Structure formats: structure tokens, C-alpha cells
Amino acid sequence: MSRATPIRDGAIIAVDWGTTNRRAYRIEADGRVGDAIRDDRGVLAMAADDYPPALAALRARLGDLPVIASGMIGSTRGWHEAPYVAAPADLAALAAAALRIDDAGLTIVPGVSLLTATRADVMRGEELQVLGAIAAGLAPADALFCQPGTHNKWIATADERIIDVTTVMTGELFALLRNHGILAGMLDGVVADGPAFRDGIARGAGTCDLGSALFEVRAGVLLGRRTPDDAAAYASGVLIGSDVGARAVRGQTVHLLAEGALADLYEVAIEMLGGLTVPVDATAAFLGGVHHLRSHLSE
């Protein structure tokens, strides 16, 4: 690192640089969090030439410090690609493969990939939150995590290592259905917990025929089985129920790395299908991940 402050010992700037949003924090040497910045400067809002002045602006606000960044900044759509680390992976493996951009005083944390004889999956950003949750004592070393979002992530860990990841396009599918195709115009109602949402969970969890279950949204409204105002909640329940039902959560503890309305809906679905949810503060998990990661980074 070209900056004088050793990345392992002094204060740093930690950035969760996502697709649409960016969150930056000053972390002191002892792990305490100082000032923070949250904005919409995700990678989709950035061109390659925008990153150096963006980093300079962060330092002007948070201090002239080394920067550790995770998330989509290290993707093919970001600034510099940081190749994936193959699962199983822990914080030491992420640190060993971190991409150092010395002239920018920047370290980019790589994502994690899974490649088996039958499946392929990838993630960027979630890995640091999951491993950070474990390192910070927010979750056990062997755990199942769910991180709802546009692309929902199910992440399994053992011995403080990520051993499996499954990405489900649940949120994206709902957005596509709401805006395109035969259900467009039917899904403008409020999505919230209630009888329609729970009916959808039961339908989605009990079928391998998701396409048919989704068409029933339209047919149910046309035939008077469901009111138009309930169609969106029912369709969301079908999709989330299908997602959660495929994980066989009954009897399992699921660590929910999220907050807000979508997290609440997943909590309902997981517990309705026999699982137990434990909320995990995603910001605290990310900060814990960065703080513990830097102990593995070389000078």
C-alpha cells in the first residue's frame, strides 16, 4: 500500500460498493466506527474515470486513509476485476486473494464462487458480511444465512468458512412480472403480510410447477377467487414460498442478514414453513468483516 498508515494497524475507510448504492465508513484501529457516508454512487452510476475522484472525495470527508472496498467495484462492471475465491473460503482466503491498487491506496475484496459437477454460483459483497457476522460473534461458525434482495442469497458456513451459496432471482422475477407480460397491470397493489401473501407462500412452497402457480394469479382475479388488490401480495408469496420451500428450512435456524419490508416477508415465509429466524445486523456484519479481514492482510 502506498500510503504511510499500515492497513493492518491504523484507521481505514471501509466501502460497501454495490450495484446501485455505496456505503463508506471510517473504522478506527480498535474497530470503532466514526463518520459514515451513504449515497447512490453504486457502480452503475460510475465510469472508470470516476473512481479516482470518488476515492479522493471519500478521503476528504473520512480521512486520508487506506481504503478497503468490497462488492461490485471488483466485478466486470466495476473499476478493477478481483477474481473470485473458490468455496470453501474464509477471511484469510479473501485477504490472500485481495486485489491491491497501490497508486490508489485501495484494496478490493474478491467475491466467492461455487463450481460443482451440477451447479455454478457467485457472489460479491455478501461473503464479507457472512464471515464478518461470524467473526463479530453475531452468528455461529456453522450456520445457514439468508440475504434477501433482488437476487436472494442462501449461504451455508462450516468452521467459519463459506461452503455453499445459492442465488435465487426472486426479486428480479417479481419486478419483471410486475412490469412486463400478462401479469403487468395486475401487480400494482401493496405487498405485505396477510392472508393473500400467506396463501401464496403455501402455493409456492407446495409446487414444482412455478409457472402454473404464477398464472393462477391472473386466473384467480378473472374468476373472482382473489381481489385485484391482493394479486401482488399473492404473487410475491408464491415466489418467496417457492424460494424458501426449496431450501427445506423446517427445523433449521436461518440467520437473516437484512432489514426492512423484504426481510420481514422472508421471516414470515421461513417461520411459516417451519424454520426459526435470527436477525443479523447487515451493517455490523460488514464492519466486523472488514475489521477482522485486515488482520490477515500483509503490509
Side-chain angles (χ1 to χ4, degrees), residues 12-279:
I12 59 169
I13 297 171
V15 186
D16 182 1
W17 216 314
T19 302
T20 56
N21 298 299
R22 180 182 66 171
R23 298 171 178 84
Y25 309 85
R26 178 185 172 114
I27 303 180
E28 305 299 339
D30 61 1
R32 289 181 297 111
V33 180
D35 201 3
I37 299 171
R38 301 187 181 196
D39 57 32
D40 60 358
R41 298 292 289 167
V43 298
L44 292 183
M46 307 283 290
D49 292 342
D50 293 334
Y51 285 95
L55 290 171
L58 289 177
R59 289 188 169 107
R61 168 77 177 271
L62 301 177
D64 189 20
L65 300 168
V67 176
I68 298 177
S70 73
M72 294 300 287
I73 187 176
S75 72
T76 55
R77 305 188 73 169
W79 191 24
H80 293 284
E81 185 177 3
Y84 295 106
V85 173
D90 56 12
L91 284 174
L94 295 182
L99 180 63
R100 305 289 289 270
I101 313 297
D102 287 331
D103 58 357
L106 172 67
T107 299
I108 299 177
V109 182
V112 171
S113 65
L114 178 78
L115 185 62
T116 72
T118 58
R119 294 182 51 232
D121 215 316
V122 293
M123 61 181 169
R124 286 193 185 275
E126 296 90 355
E127 70 291 326
L128 195 55
Q129 293 184 19
V130 164
L131 295 174
I134 295 171
L138 304 175
D142 301 354
L144 174 63
F145 293 84
C146 176
Q147 190 168 38
T150 302
H151 297 154
N152 183 40
K153 300 284 186 182
W154 296 90
I155 302 163
T157 64
D159 297 325
E160 300 185 36
R161 300 185 303 165
I162 292 171
I163 60 170
D164 192 35
V165 55
T166 300
T167 304
V168 190
M169 296 171 61
T170 313
E172 183 169 353
L173 286 173
F174 183 79
L176 289 170
L177 291 168
R178 172 174 266 178
N179 295 299
H180 305 280
I182 198 168
L183 296 184
M186 278 191 165
L187 304 183
D188 296 331
V190 175
V191 176
D193 183 25
F197 179 69
R198 294 187 179 224
D199 285 349
I201 291 172
R203 180 68 176 95
T207 182
C208 295
D209 191 359
L210 181 60
S212 174
L214 289 170
F215 187 79
E216 289 172 10
V217 176
R218 174 175 172 79
V221 171
L222 294 177
L223 299 177
R225 171 167 288 178
R226 198 158 305 281
T227 68
D229 289 344
D230 284 342
Y234 180 77
S236 176
V238 169
L239 288 166
I240 293 176
S242 174
D243 179 0
V244 176
R247 303 319 125 202
V249 298
R250 183 169 299 279
Q252 292 201 64
T253 298
V254 180
H255 292 79
L256 205 53
L257 253 173
E259 59 185 19
L262 187 56
D264 293 343
L265 295 177
Y266 267 86
E267 179 181 4
V268 169
I270 290 167
E271 298 200 347
M272 181 175 163
L273 297 177
L276 172 68
T277 58
V278 175

